[in-house]
């Protein structure tokens, strides 16, 4: 739902060519974020362009490499939704390196709301997750396993928040 909300926000501000920097093929959160991205595009009748989907990992350098690939395309995206804030920070660094303006030329949105997100220039729009609740739930599951209890398949849904900052903005009129 969080990835859907992030992508929907970009659509709402006028972005139509939205790139996605994916995480690794597994774990489930990577799959879920990709599915949320695809669902938002599909519901808005925006074609899913495979050239705008780049697999990376959690690291900043992965965001740099992915953005450099996008910038070589004939038709660059108007926005990019990154799997993590670290990837988004890498993307922003690459954009500045090639003299693109954020968000005037390309909007960037991340995921996690790490401490550096608010310190970036421009400040990074992102999805905030309840990290304490995530940690608490993980510890409860681990303690149960340490007590000898078999782990149960369990889906825990926690709230999230779209934090709009300066790295996203309306698509310029051409």
């Amino acid at each position: 739902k969080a990835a859907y909300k992030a992508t929907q926000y970009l659509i709402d501000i006028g972005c139509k060519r939205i790139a996605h920097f994916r995480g690794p093929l597994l774990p489930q959160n990577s799959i879920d974020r990709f599915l949320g991205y695809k669902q938002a595009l599909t519901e808005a009748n925006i074609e899913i362009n495979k050239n705008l989907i780049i697999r990376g990992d959690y690291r900043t350098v992965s965001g740099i490499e992915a953005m450099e690939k996008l910038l070589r395309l004939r038709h660059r995206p108007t926005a990019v939704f990154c799997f993590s804030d670290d990837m988004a920070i890498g993307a922003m660094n690459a954009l500045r390196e090639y003299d693109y303006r954020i968000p005037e030329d390309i909007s960037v949105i991340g995921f996690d709301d790490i401490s550096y997100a608010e310190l970036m220039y421009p400040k990074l729009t992102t999805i905030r997750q309840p990290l304490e609740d995530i940690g608490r739930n993980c510890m409860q599951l681990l303690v149960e396993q340490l007590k000898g209890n078999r782990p149960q398949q369990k889906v825990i849904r926690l709230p999230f928040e779209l934090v709009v900052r300066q790295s996203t903005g309306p698509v310029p009129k051409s």
Side-chain angles (χ1 to χ4, degrees):
K1 288 183 179 183
Y4 174 89
K5 175 115 179 166
T7 307
Q8 184 62 53
Y9 167 73
L10 293 170
I11 293 166
D12 289 345
I13 62 172
C15 300
K16 299 286 185 239
R17 288 184 54 80
I18 303 170
H20 178 50
F21 296 170
R22 291 187 66 165
L25 285 179
L26 295 172
Q28 190 62 44
N29 66 347
S30 180
I31 295 165
D32 290 343
R33 290 178 196 178
F34 179 61
L35 292 175
Y37 161 81
K38 283 178 50 176
Q39 181 183 356
L41 292 180
T42 300
E43 288 180 9
N45 293 317
I46 297 173
E47 181 182 348
I48 297 168
N49 183 335
K50 292 180 182 176
N51 292 325
L52 299 180
I53 301 167
I54 300 175
R55 188 175 321 129
D57 56 33
Y58 306 95
R59 300 172 307 129
T60 304
V61 70
S62 180
I64 292 169
E65 292 167 353
M67 185 54 73
E68 287 176 339
K69 285 180 187 176
L70 281 182
L71 293 177
R72 289 192 289 269
L73 294 176
R74 181 179 174 130
H75 301 290
R76 68 170 171 76
T78 53
V80 59
F81 164 49
C82 298
F83 175 80
S84 70
D85 284 351
D86 284 320
M87 290 177 78
I89 289 168
M92 291 171 68
N93 284 330
L95 286 167
R96 280 193 298 274
E97 181 74 23
Y98 292 96
D99 294 324
Y100 285 89
R101 298 169 302 151
I102 307 162
E104 293 85 359
D105 297 321
I106 299 179
S107 286
V108 179
I109 189 167
F111 204 106
D112 292 324
D113 197 25
I114 63 174
S115 60
Y116 294 106
E118 196 169 20
L119 301 175
M120 292 298 300
Y121 180 78
K123 295 176 188 222
L124 180 62
T125 296
T126 187
I127 295 289
R128 178 180 294 151
Q129 300 185 85
L131 296 180
E132 282 186 28
D133 291 341
I134 292 170
R136 189 176 306 106
N137 279 285
C138 288
M139 284 305 298
Q140 287 172 348
L141 293 170
L142 180 60
V143 166
E144 288 301 312
Q145 288 182 18
L146 292 173
K147 288 180 179 177
N149 298 326
R150 277 187 100 189
Q152 296 178 10
Q153 285 280 334
K154 195 175 191 180
V155 175
I156 301 170
R157 304 242 185 254
L158 298 172
F160 63 87
E161 178 185 356
L162 172 64
V163 180
V164 178
R165 296 191 178 113
Q166 301 160 340
S167 68
T168 53
V171 175
K173 305 284 187 249
S174 47

